[in-house]
């Protein structure tokens, strides 16, 4: 992993951001993390990666047409008359005479 020069990366990012957005960014540095225009905190390497994204991507991104999604209904669960709770309740009562069921 190569060492990144903080001043060079910030200067290159500022130049790329200015050309892409038409205004200079507000970069806040705090403990190795950088916040651009009050956004999410990111590391210096992420700023370096964003330079290439800002330099190549135009300001306007064409939107892809969205297809309507169809909702699929979930298959209905089969209900049987069997209940584990009632099975063990009858098992306890048959094996032990005179026993009360727990709450």
């Amino acid at each position: 992993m190569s060492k990144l020069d903080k001043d060079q990366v910030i200067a290159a990012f500022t130049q790329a951001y200015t050309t892409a957005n038409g205004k200079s960014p507000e970069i806040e540095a705090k403990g190795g993390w950088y916040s651009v225009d009050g956004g999410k905190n990111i590391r210096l390497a992420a700023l370096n990666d964003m330079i290439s994204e800002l330099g190549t991507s135009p300001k306007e991104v064409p939107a892809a047409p969205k297809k309507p999604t169809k909702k699929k209904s979930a298959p209905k669960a089969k209900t049987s008359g069997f209940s584990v709770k009632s099975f063990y309740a009858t098992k306890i009562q048959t094996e032990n005479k005179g026993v009360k069921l727990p709450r």
Side-chain angles (χ1 to χ4, degrees):
M1 187 168 153
S2 64
K3 294 270 186 170
L4 297 173
D5 185 27
K6 174 178 73 169
D7 296 327
Q8 289 177 353
V9 172
I10 291 177
F13 178 77
T14 303
Q15 182 182 10
Y17 188 89
T18 303
T19 57
N21 296 323
K23 65 173 188 161
S24 62
E26 296 178 23
I27 300 174
E28 297 176 24
K30 194 180 266 189
W33 292 89
Y34 298 89
S35 175
V36 179
D37 290 334
K40 184 178 177 182
N41 292 337
I42 55 176
R43 289 284 189 182
L44 189 63
L47 274 178
N48 193 28
D49 295 339
M50 288 175 63
I51 292 171
S52 62
E53 293 174 10
L54 289 173
T56 58
S57 64
K59 191 173 184 181
E60 183 179 319
V61 178
K66 295 183 180 179
K67 296 180 181 178
T69 59
K70 295 181 180 178
K71 294 183 180 180
K72 295 182 180 179
S73 61
K76 295 182 180 180
K78 296 180 182 178
T79 56
S80 65
F82 181 76
S83 170
V84 175
K85 186 176 181 180
S86 64
F87 170 75
Y88 280 107
T90 56
K91 182 178 177 182
I92 290 172
Q93 287 179 340
T94 56
E95 289 179 358
N96 303 316
K97 300 295 178 191
V99 175
K100 291 184 180 179
L101 294 175
R103 286 198 221 179

